[in-house]
Amino acid sequence: MKKKDKMYYKKYNLNIESDFDIHTVREVDEDIDLAILLKKRTLNLYFDEEFKIINSRFQFSGIDKIMIRFNKNEDSFLATIHIINSLNSDLQSMNFEINYSDIFIEVKNDEYSVDMRINKSN
């Protein structure tokens, strides 16, 4: 199987590196929704050591997509991350808000799962 090129999203202060396609699914006024399709994969969510609040990771089974909702305003650094179970509905496993002013998000394909990392920018 041919390895897919990485996708990069670097706009409006938001930085994402992904092994999966990143799609803009909604853009209304100042708001943007990005989707990263995972196709019913297990998602492991990790936080950088600096943000460490748990010992290992959060794990979600059967995830269809990650949706990131944020504002294009250059002074805004808040985004909501939605972990969604079904492409046909907004059935969520979880959602949480982040301040992305000094972080970058990595979404990496692993053999049996997907790793999403919230990392401190260098």
Side-chain angles (χ1 to χ4, degrees):
M1 178 191 290
K2 182 183 173 195
K3 186 168 176 150
K4 188 173 176 6
D5 291 335
K6 292 197 181 301
M7 296 285 301
Y8 297 92
Y9 187 91
K10 292 184 179 195
K11 295 181 183 175
Y12 311 111
N13 302 314
L14 182 63
N15 294 300
I16 304 170
E17 179 183 310
S18 176
D19 290 342
F20 300 87
D21 290 336
I22 302 168
H23 303 279
T24 300
V25 293
R26 185 181 76 89
E27 188 167 354
V28 178
D29 298 324
E30 294 294 313
D31 292 328
I32 296 179
D33 289 355
L34 301 177
I36 302 171
L37 303 180
L38 303 183
K39 300 180 182 175
K40 293 288 183 197
R41 304 280 304 276
T42 296
L43 175 68
N44 297 310
L45 175 61
Y46 297 91
F47 291 91
D48 192 296
E49 288 294 323
E50 191 161 323
F51 308 117
K52 199 73 157 179
I53 58 172
I54 60 170
N55 189 40
S56 178
R57 70 190 183 290
F58 292 102
Q59 186 174 69
F60 306 92
S61 299
I63 300 303
D64 265 329
K65 72 179 170 182
I66 300 166
M67 189 177 76
I68 303 171
R69 178 170 288 159
F70 68 103
N71 189 287
K72 294 189 289 189
N73 183 327
E74 293 290 330
D75 295 328
S76 176
F77 297 100
L78 294 179
T80 306
I81 311 289
H82 301 264
I83 310 299
I84 300 178
N85 292 80
S86 174
L87 287 176
N88 299 325
S89 72
D90 288 333
L91 183 60
Q92 297 182 38
S93 286
M94 174 185 187
N95 72 62
F96 58 96
E97 189 173 74
I98 61 169
N99 177 329
Y100 59 88
S101 62
D102 61 350
I103 65 155
F104 68 98
I105 299 169
E106 291 181 289
V107 181
K108 303 281 186 185
N109 189 25
D110 196 5
E111 188 172 354
Y112 299 106
S113 62
V114 176
D115 291 343
M116 179 178 182
R117 297 183 184 278
I118 310 292
N119 295 311
K120 181 86 171 151
S121 295
N122 294 334

